[in-house]
Amino acid sequence: MDASATPTEEMKRDPMHFTDRITPGGDWPVQAGRYRLVISRACPWAHRVVLARRLYGLDEAISLAVTDPVQEIIDDENHWVFTSRTGSPDDKDPVLGIHALREAYLAREPGYDGGVSVPGLVDVPTGHLVSNDFNQLTLDFGTEWTELHREGAPDLYPKHLRDEIDALNEEIYNDVNNGVYKAGFAPTQASYDRAVHALFARLDRLEDRLTRQRFLLGPTITEADLRLWPTLVRFDAVYHGHFKCNIRKLIEYPALWAYARDLFQQPGFGDTVNLNHIREHYYAVHTGINPTRIVAAGPDPAQWLTPHHREELGGRPFGEGTPPEPPPLPDRVPPVV
């Protein structure tokens, strides 16, 4: 997702430009093997889509392409690229045959001159980008791709909770998901103060909420948890220091920290995290914030595997469903320890 700010303006995000939807019988039909999901392991917006793909069991139906965590400068702009160190021979994705994700954008719209972001869902036969709408992608994976869901896939967006999920998602997006960026890229002290205090006020409310229940909407994981958690898993590693979100660390919130570990230790969550990619991307790419490009070493990732005791609150993480099987070998990430 792209952001911009002048020295006197708060950061603003560009609206999604490619928002086509894949639906049964639509112009872009649901079809196993037709689409490739391009992500960065560093990006929280891509991470939520990876979580949905894993939990619904769409690993085989939608292939995964992982970019290098460090963007390459092309035409004076940072771009997501494929390199041999992330498993792309000759620095090209082996399925799409492209070096930079922007090639799929230009294949779809040759005159496109906007930002290029992950995730990107690409139509393999044409090489055209279908969507970079990370919000809609997770919802559609849950509601439009059901014919290809694994047996035992959870219902993360149940009809009776959708209004509540949507309202909470909006608050989380404004104050937390986007809030860390508004603080990190604040052009003035006043804009930073507004963003950082709104962020921690929301975290305080979420702490209270999670003191009383295991997950955001109660005893089971929902779409709302998929939206909050990618920010939490990056919080102490990059947002606390790099983005100056340092009123408190995540580990100083008893309920939020235990909740984050609970999810990390669930199949489909921790097995999608590459903390090395996260640290390297943020510290190496954001040269306006970190001109030396020195990558911070901590915190110790082994903390994510410590007991959380959230099971004492009861509940069933996957509701009437079951946990996903381990990811396919090409999609696996290095263990945290």
Side-chain angles (χ1 to χ4, degrees):
M1 201 176 176
D2 301 298
S4 60
T6 73
T8 58
E9 294 178 340
E10 292 190 14
M11 185 200 74
K12 296 180 180 178
R13 291 197 175 274
D14 296 335
M16 296 294 101
H17 185 76
F18 297 95
T19 57
D20 286 3
R21 296 177 63 190
I22 297 170
T23 60
D27 291 339
W28 299 102
V30 171
Q31 183 179 330
R34 176 165 174 172
Y35 305 98
R36 189 158 175 82
L37 179 64
V38 178
I39 63 130
S40 164
R41 294 285 185 192
C43 174
W45 316 104
H47 198 171
R48 61 173 66 177
V49 182
V50 173
L51 293 173
R53 173 180 173 270
R54 280 280 293 123
L55 297 181
Y56 291 127
L58 295 171
D59 312 64
E60 302 294 341
I62 304 169
S63 64
L64 190 69
V66 180
T67 67
D68 196 289
V70 179
Q71 293 169 293
E72 180 180 312
I73 298 177
I74 303 174
D75 296 334
D76 297 322
E77 294 184 358
N78 285 326
H79 281 276
W80 300 106
V81 296
F82 300 99
T83 66
S84 57
R85 73 172 184 151
T86 52
S88 297
D90 302 319
D91 292 345
K92 291 186 176 182
D93 178 68
V95 174
L96 300 174
I98 60 177
H99 172 57
L101 177 58
R102 76 167 183 166
E103 296 173 50
Y105 279 62
L106 293 172
R108 171 69 185 281
E109 188 177 308
Y112 178 71
D113 61 358
V116 175
S117 60
V118 287
L121 196 61
V122 180
D123 179 52
V124 174
T126 63
H128 291 184
L129 181 79
V130 177
S131 176
N132 65 348
D133 189 348
F134 56 86
N135 278 325
Q136 191 62 48
L137 283 172
T138 60
L139 298 178
D140 283 349
F141 281 3
T143 59
E144 302 294 335
W145 287 74
T146 54
E147 66 186 69
L148 296 176
H149 282 187
R150 65 179 175 86
E151 184 177 355
D155 183 1
L156 301 175
Y157 196 50
K159 290 182 179 179
H160 70 285
L161 290 176
R162 287 182 185 179
D163 288 346
E164 189 176 355
I165 290 172
D166 291 345
L168 184 58
N169 284 347
E170 186 68 16
E171 295 172 351
I172 290 171
Y173 171 80
N174 287 328
D175 295 337
V176 181
N177 302 145
N178 204 32
V180 294
Y181 283 87
K182 288 189 288 187
F185 290 102
T188 66
Q189 185 68 51
S191 60
Y192 166 76
D193 289 342
R194 284 193 296 272
V196 79
H197 288 295
L199 164 65
F200 281 93
R202 180 65 57 192
L203 290 177
D204 289 345
R205 288 193 284 274
L206 291 170
E207 171 74 7
D208 179 68
R209 185 185 193 104
L210 289 166
T211 299
R212 295 177 276 110
Q213 57 196 41
R214 188 167 178 183
F215 303 107
L216 287 174
L217 271 296
T220 62
I221 295 166
T222 67
E223 174 79 20
D225 299 292
L226 270 60
R227 307 263 178 130
L228 174 63
W229 189 75
T231 299
L232 298 185
V233 84
R234 290 160 174 76
F235 202 90
D236 286 2
V238 290
Y239 300 145
H240 179 268
H242 184 56
F243 278 0
K244 299 182 285 292
C245 299
N246 60 358
I247 292 178
R248 280 178 293 282
K249 294 180 180 178
L250 177 64
I251 61 172
E252 294 173 35
Y253 281 101
L256 271 168
W257 172 226
Y259 159 84
R261 299 200 316 281
D262 186 2
L263 286 174
F264 188 95
Q265 294 170 33
Q266 299 291 339
F269 284 85
D271 57 28
T272 65
V273 176
N274 190 318
L275 288 168
N276 289 331
H277 278 209
I278 291 169
R279 282 193 294 263
E280 186 174 0
H281 168 74
Y282 281 90
Y283 285 104
V285 171
H286 298 153
T287 54
I289 299 174
N290 184 38
T292 65
R293 304 183 73 188
I294 294 171
V295 178
D300 182 2
Q303 296 177 91
W304 285 97
L305 301 180
T306 58
H308 53 76
H309 305 294
R310 296 287 289 179
E311 67 278 0
E312 296 172 9
L313 291 171
R316 297 179 60 186
F318 299 96
E320 299 302 316
T322 58
E325 296 295 323
L329 188 60
D331 294 356
R332 294 185 185 178
V333 298
V336 294
V337 290

